[in-house]
Amino acid sequence: MKLLSLCLFLTASLLLLDHNSTLAEQYNPLKTTENSSSKPIDITMRDKNRDRNIPLRIYLPAQKQAAPVVLFSHGLGGSRTGCQYLGEHWSARGYVVVYMQHAGSDETVWKGVPLLERLKALKSATTLQNTVDRYQDVSAVLDQLSLWNNDATSQFHKKLDLRHIGMSGHSFGAITTQGVSGQAWRLVGQRFTDPRIEAAVMFSPSAQGKTDPALSFGEVKIPWMLLTGTKDTSPINDTTVEDRRKVYQGLPDTIDKYELVLIDAPHSAFADGTERPGRFRRNPKYHEEILAVTTAFWDTYLRQNEQARVWLQGKPCQQQLDPKDEWQFQTRSGKKAKE
């Protein structure tokens, strides 16, 4: 009887493994169809409560039904036009992608400033007020999207699935994402966490000074994905790769969490700016890997796509990455992987 039970268990396990392998083989996070996205829409919204303008760039997917929404926050000195490769692909995969521009820490900080003084100008913009402004921009944008979605005269009417919202950002935008997606701060706790956000992706995340990462990130309640590189440092605040990797270490075991460390990738690997002669030449595989894992992440947690989950947590994902990359994840169900 025990032998029969063991045989049945092994048979069921093999069938499940074969089923999962088939699901993963059918799923391709890099695949898009022709005419699957449209040109971005540039619009500026007004936050009347703070007397503040928030420029937006919005990508709408080419579909009739309402689509999940992903917000993106730029890095220090950036704008709503940065990292467009993400918006183009995510939109082509069926997401509304909303790029926000944050006054006070955007491109206006350095434009027109003499070259030798730009670093100082950028550093001067890393203030607590600008950080709080960014957090509040996110909630204000979500409020505005809800108004547009319910307004029959709006071009965004019924095009947004606001039950499923993702948040993302690079560098200062990663800090912004952390702050609205569950990071706790001394004295104020999770004051800036927006409960409407369902999942988050951070490019070049960072821990808060010398604070124990578990105190900062131990109360996060939604899935997080973190991406950095083995050369992802910053001259603005002396952030090291070790600082970036502390975030994953501080996250609780009660959520699904992922970390990808791209081999030899510097801070600019996640951007899409013009490459200059004599400067870092971006490995074209970086963006391919970034798009693959983030798309599978959104599909898993904003669409509850089982094929995406199997791909993301299985060998197909690992095969997509460079063998020298560091990839690890842990799910609340106890599944782990570290390469």
Side-chain angles (χ1 to χ4, degrees):
M1 193 68 180
K2 291 183 177 179
L3 180 60
L4 177 60
S5 298
L6 178 60
C7 289
L8 290 173
F9 173 76
L10 291 174
T11 300
S13 298
L14 289 172
L15 288 173
L16 179 60
L17 180 61
D18 182 64
H19 174 66
N20 284 347
S21 297
T22 301
L23 286 177
E25 289 174 2
Q26 294 173 346
Y27 178 79
N28 181 0
L30 293 176
K31 183 179 180 180
T32 59
T33 58
E34 190 175 353
N35 299 322
S36 55
S37 63
S38 56
K39 291 183 178 180
I41 300 168
D42 288 342
I43 188 171
T44 297
M45 60 158 282
R46 182 73 176 173
D47 181 1
K48 295 180 180 179
N49 292 330
R50 295 183 296 152
D51 193 26
R52 178 178 172 90
N53 286 332
I54 307 175
L56 305 174
R57 169 164 285 193
I58 302 176
Y59 283 88
L60 293 175
Q63 62 184 52
K64 293 182 179 180
Q65 65 271 32
V69 176
V70 175
L71 273 61
F72 188 87
S73 173
H74 63 76
L76 179 63
S79 73
R80 62 183 173 182
T81 63
C83 294
Q84 295 300 297
Y85 74 101
L86 295 170
E88 291 170 358
H89 184 78
W90 292 343
S91 176
R93 292 285 300 192
Y95 294 91
V96 175
V97 186
V98 181
Y99 284 81
M100 302 171 288
Q101 185 163 328
H102 307 285
S105 57
D106 61 0
E107 61 185 8
T108 59
V109 171
W110 59 268
K111 280 193 170 182
V113 176
L115 185 60
L116 296 178
E117 298 179 21
R118 288 182 180 179
L119 182 60
K120 181 180 179 181
L122 287 167
K123 286 184 176 182
S124 67
T126 58
T127 64
L128 176 60
Q129 184 59 56
N130 278 334
T131 303
V132 172
D133 284 340
R134 281 170 162 261
Y135 295 159
Q136 294 176 335
D137 283 348
V138 174
S139 293
V141 169
L142 288 177
D143 290 343
Q144 183 62 61
L145 292 179
S146 181
L147 292 175
W148 282 336
N149 201 42
N150 295 319
D151 182 356
T153 66
S154 170
Q155 59 185 318
F156 307 113
H157 180 54
K158 292 185 176 181
K159 293 185 178 181
L160 316 175
D161 179 1
L162 296 174
R163 299 169 302 169
H164 301 298
I165 297 172
M167 179 69 204
S168 185
H170 177 227
S171 195
F172 204 172
I175 292 175
T176 306
T177 301
Q178 294 167 195
V180 298
S181 301
Q183 180 174 358
W185 295 89
R186 191 180 304 168
L187 301 180
V188 300
Q190 293 178 300
R191 174 183 174 184
F192 299 105
T193 295
D194 195 307
R196 291 171 289 187
I197 297 170
E198 197 172 36
V201 172
M202 277 69 62
F203 302 96
S204 303
S206 56
Q208 178 188 359
K210 296 181 180 180
T211 303
D212 181 354
L215 295 177
S216 296
F217 308 108
E219 296 182 37
V220 173
K221 294 180 175 60
I222 63 174
W224 274 25
M225 174 174 278
L226 310 162
L227 298 94
T228 184
T230 58
K231 297 181 179 179
D232 187 3
T233 58
S234 172
I236 301 297
N237 51 12
D238 301 320
T239 304
T240 65
V241 176
E242 289 71 26
D243 293 330
R244 302 198 188 286
R245 302 204 63 180
K246 287 179 181 177
V247 179
Y248 183 87
Q249 298 166 16
L251 291 171
D253 295 337
T254 52
I255 65 168
D256 290 2
K257 53 185 178 180
Y258 303 80
E259 183 186 53
L260 173 60
V261 184
L262 299 172
I263 185 67
D264 292 332
H267 198 60
S268 59
F270 303 98
D272 56 3
T274 303
E275 297 180 357
R276 300 175 183 176
R279 301 289 294 276
F280 163 75
R281 292 184 63 83
R282 187 181 302 111
N283 184 334
K285 187 170 174 57
Y286 289 154
H287 281 188
E288 185 178 289
E289 294 181 34
I290 291 166
L291 293 175
V293 298
T294 58
T295 299
F297 179 84
W298 295 135
D299 287 349
T300 298
Y301 297 103
L302 298 186
R303 293 186 180 279
Q304 291 73 52
N305 184 320
E306 180 63 12
Q307 290 180 314
R309 183 193 67 77
V310 172
W311 186 96
L312 185 62
Q313 298 175 5
K315 287 185 178 180
C317 178
Q318 296 175 19
Q319 292 169 348
Q320 177 71 46
L321 305 176
D322 188 293
K324 295 181 181 179
D325 291 340
E326 294 183 57
W327 168 248
Q328 64 176 324
F329 71 84
Q330 180 175 337
T331 68
R332 57 186 175 182
S333 64
K335 187 174 182 179
K336 297 181 180 181
K338 186 169 184 178
E339 293 292 327

